[in-house]
Amino acid sequence: MTPVAPMSLARITALFALLWFATLAQAAIQPVKSPADDNEYRYISLDNGLEALLISDPGADKAAASLNVSVGSGNDPEDREGLAHFLEHLLFLGTEKYPNPGEYQQFIRSHGGSHNAFTAFQDTNYFFDIQPTHLEPALDRFAQQFSAPLFTAELVDRERNAVHSEYSASLKDDGRRYYSVRKAISNPEHAFSQFSVGNLETLANSEERPLREDLIEFWKNHYSANLMTLAVYGPQSLDELEAMVRPRFSAIDNRNLTVKDHPQPLFAPDSLPARLQVQTIKDIRRLQLIFPIPSQRDQYRTKPLHYVASLLGHEGPGSLLNVLKRRGWVESLSAGSGTDTGEHSTLELSMSLTSEGMNHQDEIVALAFDYIELVREEGIDRFRFEEDRQLSEIDFRFQQRPDPLHLAMRLSMEMQEVAPEDVLQASYMMTDYVPDQYRELLGHLTPDNVLIAVQSNQDLPENASTTQWYDTPYRLFQTDIDVPTGNEVTAQLADQLALPNQNPFIPEDLAVLEGSSMDQPAKLATFDNLEIWHARDTRFERPEANIFLSLRSPLTTASPRGQVLTSLLAEAVSVQLNPWAYPAQIAGLDYQVYPHLRGLTVRVGGYHDRLPVLMNRIMATLANPEITKQRFRIARQQLMDDLRNSLQDKPVAQASAFVQDALVQGAWTAPERLAAAESVTVEDLREFAHSFTARVDAVMLVHGNATRAFALNTAQQTDALLLQDSQQVVVNRSQVRDLPDGETRITLPVPHPDTGYLRYSQGSNTGFDERARYRLLTQVISGAFYEEIRTTRQLGYAVYATPFEMLETPAIGLVVQSPDASADTIDEAVQAFADSFREELKTMSEEALQQERQAVISNLMEQDRRLSDVSQRYWREIDRQATDFDSREELADAIGEVSKAELLATFDAALRELDASLLVTTSADATTSDELVKTLRNQPPVDD
């Protein structure tokens, strides 16, 4: 008989803990889950009032957690605006058990994870993901942030600069600027009117008023376990997850606080109707009708707002968008909710206008109210509800497998607002037909209860108001406001309005093919010049398929003009399809016609039942697009606006775009494409569309719940409708140009107060070994780079190291955007970091290096959770002609073999010796050297 070893005290304690948790679990609430969901769930309440949802997915290769606190910017003291956001920053920076301010971040990064947080009006959400074997120590660090933060005085003062940098980086962001106007004109008695980001002024730190004391007081007065909800996802059993969560999160103090109410209306009494004009920086033309409505949180089971908004935002024939778009006044339209405070909310109808539409704002507003009236009189019908419910039930039944991090974030927030049993199904629920609720909501959409807001870059008078923190010009008119009622033109247009008919695309055949999935795509045939790949794949047990068709044309690659015309062709096809195809999108189908460096791609996906109908219609439209002068004029103007607006992007975004445009063969800069767009005509586009498929290199992938016969039939239909008369041609894949030896420096003119800095250091070849070295290098230095440049030196909010790989050409990018430091100051700090970090890299243990290798590999080899994940990977492999379909496996193997000596050599070449390095910086008064750009463009490609 084999003797049994005595159990240790720790093992006995752990066993009793698991048995105790298992007993408690018998009373735990079980949320209703999708039939497609194999996860196990347990909803528990801790003794301190914190509620947690545990999610066990035995096959998960990633663990995640998210904690939501019902505290946000709406809790800020009037004299400490931005304090909730500032607290979010400080909780990351050291706890009693883990005092090192970078310890949590480095632990997450070194184990293949990511982390972040955000502050909203009534919520602050903290989250991370990580390799599953390290979930427990990660939760230990995470829980400490809420039970025992240090609020170190030095870090409190230093982190003010990071918050100020975040504020400064958005000073030229039109979204932030418009949001500041919405706050400025809102009810001054409502907390929404306050500045929520914070800066050095609102977060001033002085002997008379120490910021740390205010911060600790805010934390004690607002953060409490009973206001917190936690979601934890991992492969561990529910009992194991509970054993991780209970002792750690029970240590958070329960101060028995209540969620702050906001009973005041968002708009001051008698302030509506009103008109608002806001001046933008970018060329934006947007009109919004904003209606105050009651909070919709308690209506999540019946969703009256969804019912009404789906009608207002419909894009099919006769819809408001369709009529206005055919008139040439509106480009896009959406309807949905704005901020919901639990007491009050808004329904917002938003339209992107054309240049002509700016001259017809009154007619657009009048027609919008005509459509609202049509919905009120004829839109409440049971068949519409039954369609919505049927589609929601199908989507819930065949629910997509979510990313663990985003699932944890969503659930931790849902737990604050819905019943525990509904937390998994809340977004899909449409339990009852409630015409009274629809009518009640529509009763708020009236001309005397509306803010008509217009954003454009048209100059406002010098006496226009400006917002305090973003200096945004605006004008508000609240007296003698007449909401337009229309004229003869709108009366004619109103006759064209119609509500949507029954949806013909609702799937009927939801059967999943029997038999095993294919390991990888197989090439089926070549029809004329169409290469066909197919993979039957039902691993996700969903009746869906994806179809990709790439049309590579020498007309696209020839010049900036070719790229512009390809973009305009894709837009023309999409616009022509939209009214007909919009019901298909509602019914779970999706499509996209988009340009790329070698031509354009058609992507169609969703429930397989109606895919062939949609695909054939797209092919017929592409073969014979309707290109009118009006649509051409509008599309070209929109393209030129987008290109001009890209020159107003944030400094680091423009630096990144420059690297791609200068080094990728066949790419062109925004000014080059803008010049081409200004010269093309409608006749040019018509001729281009006619000639586009005359000589083409075409390839198709059919992947998912699709048979070989389905794939061949799809290819035959495509060939017959689109490619029958085309000639085969080879259009080579682009490559990345090799940088000149040594360092190249270039400065871009960017009208932004911040300095942008990007050091792009390029590898010597595109082989897997070199790519592996650069991937691992980025992983190893990213945490230390962030800590040194952002946390210690406080040089900016946007600070990161990134694997800047383009078209399999390895590189590392070091990125900084700073409100105060010059490019030279940043570069000196980066070089000092490189010099000091080399010794740390040199002394890194093999165990630590292996940990970093595994972090990179785990992210690279992360599980596919949706069919689209697999389709996209297959499609990339076909594009690069890697038809063994094992590129990521080869790269993972190469990463596992990188030695410390190789890593040191790569570090020296990339960051100290700058063997092939491009430094791109930005300045408001800079000029870019055309000769230098020409030199880069004349470089040969990087070696294979």
Side-chain angles (χ1 to χ4, degrees):
M1 179 174 170
T2 305
V4 178
M7 294 179 67
S8 69
L9 179 61
R11 290 182 63 192
I12 294 171
T13 303
L15 178 61
F16 275 112
L18 286 173
L19 291 172
W20 180 58
F21 293 140
T23 302
L24 289 174
Q26 294 177 4
I29 296 169
Q30 294 297 317
V32 177
K33 68 177 185 176
S34 164
D37 189 349
D38 294 329
N39 295 341
E40 293 184 336
Y41 297 87
R42 183 180 294 167
Y43 198 114
I44 61 174
S45 296
L46 307 188
D47 292 341
N48 59 358
L50 185 148
E51 296 188 344
L53 181 61
L54 311 176
I55 307 142
S56 174
D57 175 3
D61 65 344
K62 205 82 165 180
S66 172
L67 186 143
N68 196 84
V69 193
S70 289
V71 176
S73 60
N75 297 76
D76 284 344
E78 291 184 11
D79 59 350
R80 273 296 193 197
E81 293 172 306
L83 194 58
H85 178 219
F86 187 58
L87 174 59
E88 171 219 305
H89 278 239
L90 262 295
L91 288 187
F92 287 116
L93 301 180
T95 63
E96 290 180 7
K97 186 174 181 180
Y98 303 99
N100 186 326
E103 208 280 342
Y104 165 72
Q105 295 91 323
Q106 186 59 45
F107 183 85
I108 298 293
R109 285 195 192 98
S110 294
H111 295 95
S114 61
H115 69 91
N116 214 326
F118 64 84
T119 303
F121 180 69
Q122 286 183 295
D123 298 276
T124 306
N125 196 278
Y126 303 82
F127 49 89
F128 72 86
D129 63 3
I130 199 164
Q131 294 167 352
T133 53
H134 301 286
L135 175 60
E136 186 165 15
L139 285 172
D140 197 55
R141 289 160 172 79
F142 190 58
Q144 275 277 311
Q145 296 173 3
F146 308 102
S147 61
L150 286 179
F151 301 122
T152 305
E154 178 187 356
L155 294 174
V156 168
D157 190 59
R158 200 163 65 189
E159 195 63 17
R160 294 167 60 238
N161 295 298
V163 171
H164 185 81
S165 295
E166 184 177 352
Y167 154 72
S168 176
S170 298
L171 285 173
K172 299 294 185 180
D173 182 280
D174 279 315
R176 282 280 189 182
R177 292 165 64 83
Y178 176 62
Y179 194 53
S180 75
V181 175
R182 290 284 298 271
K183 284 176 168 289
I185 68 164
S186 66
N187 186 352
E189 300 300 315
H190 199 291
F192 178 76
S193 64
Q194 296 182 183
F195 176 45
S196 57
V197 179
N199 59 21
L200 288 175
E201 185 173 340
T202 67
L203 301 173
N205 188 23
S206 64
E207 292 184 4
E208 295 76 21
R209 189 175 182 187
L211 178 59
R212 184 174 184 270
E213 292 181 10
D214 288 351
L215 185 69
I216 294 173
E217 182 182 8
F218 182 86
W219 174 64
K220 289 181 177 179
N221 290 341
H222 293 88
Y223 270 46
S224 175
N226 70 304
L227 302 184
M228 297 178 180
T229 46
L230 171 71
V232 179
Y233 184 111
Q236 295 84 354
S237 71
L238 291 174
D239 290 343
E240 289 171 323
L241 291 173
E242 188 165 352
M244 293 179 191
V245 166
R246 274 194 183 273
R248 292 175 172 86
F249 290 88
S250 293
I252 301 171
D253 286 342
N254 180 8
R255 301 181 175 110
N256 291 306
L257 303 178
T258 58
V259 176
K260 182 178 179 180
D261 291 327
H262 298 278
Q264 307 88 348
L266 286 165
F267 293 90
D270 302 320
S271 62
L272 299 179
R275 281 183 177 268
L276 174 66
Q277 297 175 346
V278 180
Q279 183 177 326
T280 62
I281 294 173
K282 292 184 175 182
D283 197 348
I284 293 171
R285 296 177 293 274
R286 185 171 296 120
L287 184 151
Q288 285 183 294
L289 303 185
I290 301 162
F291 302 94
I293 62 173
S295 170
Q296 298 294 297
R297 286 184 186 173
D298 292 341
Q299 314 297 335
Y300 72 87
R301 291 187 175 95
T302 53
K303 295 184 174 59
L305 190 145
H306 167 81
Y307 182 96
V308 171
S310 64
L311 287 173
L312 296 179
H314 205 275
E315 300 180 17
S319 64
L320 179 61
L321 173 63
N322 179 243
V323 171
L324 289 171
K325 196 161 189 172
R326 284 191 287 112
R327 187 70 181 184
W329 291 349
V330 168
E331 271 294 272
S332 62
L333 179 150
S334 64
S337 63
T339 298
D340 193 320
T341 68
E343 296 280 345
H344 303 279
S345 185
T346 56
L347 188 152
E348 304 186 3
L349 185 62
S350 302
M351 290 167 271
S352 176
L353 307 188
T354 64
S355 297
E356 183 66 17
M358 289 294 293
N359 300 323
H360 295 278
Q361 295 175 34
D362 285 353
E363 288 95 331
I364 293 170
V365 171
L367 200 66
F369 278 106
D370 286 337
Y371 196 66
I372 291 170
E373 185 62 26
L374 180 63
V375 171
R376 186 181 288 115
E377 292 179 354
E378 302 178 23
I380 300 175
D381 196 307
R382 178 174 282 276
F383 92 85
R384 303 185 194 283
F385 163 76
E386 294 295 348
E387 276 194 353
D388 278 351
R389 179 161 66 177
Q390 182 182 359
L391 290 170
S392 293
E393 288 174 350
I394 291 172
D395 287 344
F396 186 62
R397 173 185 169 190
F398 295 106
Q399 190 179 60
Q400 299 269 20
R401 188 181 178 200
D403 166 75
L405 179 60
H406 291 99
L407 177 65
M409 291 169 61
R410 179 175 66 80
L411 293 179
S412 69
M413 297 190 74
E414 291 270 21
M415 291 165 69
Q416 299 278 358
E417 299 182 4
V418 307
E421 63 270 20
D422 292 337
V423 70
L424 299 177
Q425 65 173 348
S427 59
Y428 299 90
M429 296 179 79
M430 292 195 74
T431 56
D432 299 293
Y433 176 60
V434 285
D436 289 344
Q437 291 184 12
Y438 310 149
R439 292 190 185 96
E440 193 276 333
L441 185 59
L442 283 162
H444 294 278
L445 311 188
T446 61
D448 61 354
N449 186 50
V450 66
L451 171 66
I452 303 171
V454 176
Q455 302 171 63
S456 80
N457 67 350
Q458 295 177 359
D459 291 337
L460 294 180
E462 290 185 2
N463 64 351
S465 302
T466 57
T467 58
Q468 179 179 4
W469 301 111
Y470 290 86
D471 199 30
T472 308
Y474 70 94
R475 291 203 301 175
L476 179 66
F477 303 92
Q478 293 180 296
T479 58
D480 300 323
I481 299 301
D482 293 322
V483 176
T485 56
N487 52 33
E488 290 184 9
V489 173
T490 55
Q492 294 173 2
L493 294 176
D495 289 339
Q496 301 173 28
L497 294 172
L499 295 169
N501 295 318
Q502 291 186 330
N503 193 330
F505 288 96
I506 295 177
E508 297 175 2
D509 178 8
L510 295 170
V512 177
L513 294 173
E514 295 182 357
S516 60
S517 297
M518 296 168 60
D519 293 333
Q520 64 184 49
K523 184 177 178 180
L524 296 186
T526 299
F527 293 161
D528 297 327
N529 58 344
L530 174 61
E531 183 178 288
I532 307 139
W533 292 82
H534 164 251
R536 183 184 63 255
D537 192 342
T538 57
R539 74 185 82 176
F540 301 103
E541 299 181 342
R542 282 175 53 89
E544 65 173 339
N546 291 311
I547 303 171
F548 289 80
L549 171 67
S550 181
L551 301 169
R552 304 157 181 167
S553 170
L555 296 178
T556 297
T557 60
S559 64
R561 180 177 181 275
Q563 280 198 0
V564 164
L565 288 169
T566 303
S567 296
L568 292 173
L569 175 59
E571 170 70 8
V573 171
S574 299
V575 167
Q576 187 175 338
L577 283 168
N578 189 61
W580 178 86
Y582 184 75
Q585 292 179 292
I586 293 175
L589 295 176
D590 191 24
Y591 74 94
Q592 190 178 9
V593 182
Y594 60 90
H596 52 78
L597 289 176
R598 290 198 278 177
L600 60 80
T601 289
V602 176
R603 182 193 57 77
V604 182
Y607 298 120
H608 74 273
D609 188 24
R610 299 289 192 268
L611 269 184
V613 178
L614 180 57
M615 185 68 180
N616 288 345
R617 183 65 174 258
I618 295 173
M619 293 302 97
T621 305
L622 187 54
N624 188 27
E626 181 182 343
I627 300 171
T628 66
K629 289 183 179 179
Q630 180 196 67
R631 280 308 314 163
F632 168 79
R633 184 177 65 252
I634 292 169
R636 188 182 71 151
Q637 184 62 53
Q638 184 63 52
L639 177 60
M640 291 191 297
D641 290 346
D642 291 343
L643 291 168
R644 291 193 187 99
N645 288 341
S646 70
L647 301 176
Q648 301 286 343
D649 285 343
K650 291 181 180 180
V652 292
Q654 293 202 51
S656 178
F658 174 82
V659 170
Q660 296 173 63
D661 293 341
L663 296 183
V664 175
Q665 294 175 342
W668 307 94
T669 65
E672 289 169 328
R673 283 175 283 154
L674 182 58
E678 289 170 342
S679 66
V680 297
T681 66
V682 66
E683 288 78 15
D684 293 336
L685 181 57
R686 287 170 178 163
E687 175 60 29
F688 184 85
H690 178 74
S691 305
F692 183 75
T693 56
R695 297 173 65 243
V696 71
D697 180 2
V699 61
M700 174 182 284
L701 169 67
V702 180
H703 174 233
N705 194 54
T707 63
R708 185 177 187 274
F710 179 98
L712 289 171
N713 184 61
T714 301
Q716 288 168 345
Q717 290 289 328
T718 298
D719 189 52
L721 289 169
L722 187 64
L723 302 173
Q724 200 165 35
D725 298 323
S726 66
Q727 298 178 3
Q728 187 172 12
V729 64
V730 175
V731 180
N732 291 321
R733 191 165 183 259
S734 296
Q735 294 176 281
V736 175
R737 298 180 178 98
D738 197 9
L739 283 175
D741 292 340
E743 183 188 32
T744 303
R745 294 188 173 219
I746 197 160
T747 305
L748 306 180
V750 175
H752 194 287
D754 287 7
T755 299
Y757 175 100
L758 167 58
R759 177 166 294 286
Y760 167 87
S761 293
Q762 189 181 73
S764 60
N765 63 76
T766 62
F768 287 111
D769 291 345
E770 185 77 340
R771 292 171 63 192
R773 289 188 281 267
Y774 273 82
R775 290 284 184 101
L776 183 56
L777 174 63
T778 306
Q779 167 68 24
V780 169
I781 77 163
S782 59
F785 180 73
Y786 178 89
E787 288 301 315
E788 174 67 16
I789 303 300
R790 184 193 179 280
T791 305
T792 302
R793 292 181 180 259
Q794 290 288 306
L795 288 180
Y797 172 72
V799 175
Y800 54 91
T802 181
F804 210 115
E805 186 172 295
M806 301 183 295
L807 299 174
E808 296 80 58
T809 299
I812 184 172
L814 303 181
V815 180
V816 182
Q817 183 169 318
S818 176
D820 302 311
S822 67
D824 287 343
T825 299
I826 298 170
D827 193 49
E828 288 172 5
V830 170
Q831 293 310 308
F833 162 78
D835 290 340
S836 64
F837 187 76
R838 191 186 192 284
E839 186 61 29
E840 186 174 333
L841 182 58
K842 185 178 178 181
T843 57
M844 178 179 282
S845 68
E846 178 56 31
E847 180 183 4
L849 184 57
Q850 179 58 24
Q851 179 177 288
E852 302 290 0
R853 291 190 194 102
Q854 192 54 47
V856 181
I857 292 170
S858 69
N859 284 326
L860 180 66
M861 299 299 294
E862 190 169 338
Q863 286 178 354
D864 299 310
R865 292 181 172 83
R866 301 179 178 220
L867 185 73
S868 58
D869 296 337
V870 189
S871 299
Q872 291 283 358
R873 190 175 73 253
Y874 286 163
W875 189 237
R876 288 192 298 269
E877 296 280 66
I878 290 170
D879 180 65
R880 62 172 69 114
Q881 296 183 317
T883 51
D884 287 335
F885 298 96
D886 63 350
S887 292
R888 67 173 185 165
E889 287 80 7
E890 287 205 51
L891 182 54
D893 289 345
I895 291 166
E897 297 298 321
V898 176
S899 68
K900 186 163 72 172
E902 291 173 323
L903 192 62
L904 274 168
T906 303
F907 177 88
D908 287 339
L911 301 181
R912 300 185 73 228
E913 298 162 6
L914 307 177
D915 283 355
S917 188
L918 174 62
L919 177 60
V920 184
T921 58
T922 71
S923 174
D925 55 0
T927 56
T928 301
S929 169
D930 292 337
E931 284 299 315
L932 198 50
V933 174
K934 186 177 179 180
T935 298
L936 293 175
R937 286 266 176 85
N938 287 333
Q939 286 290 112
V942 174
D943 293 337
D944 292 339

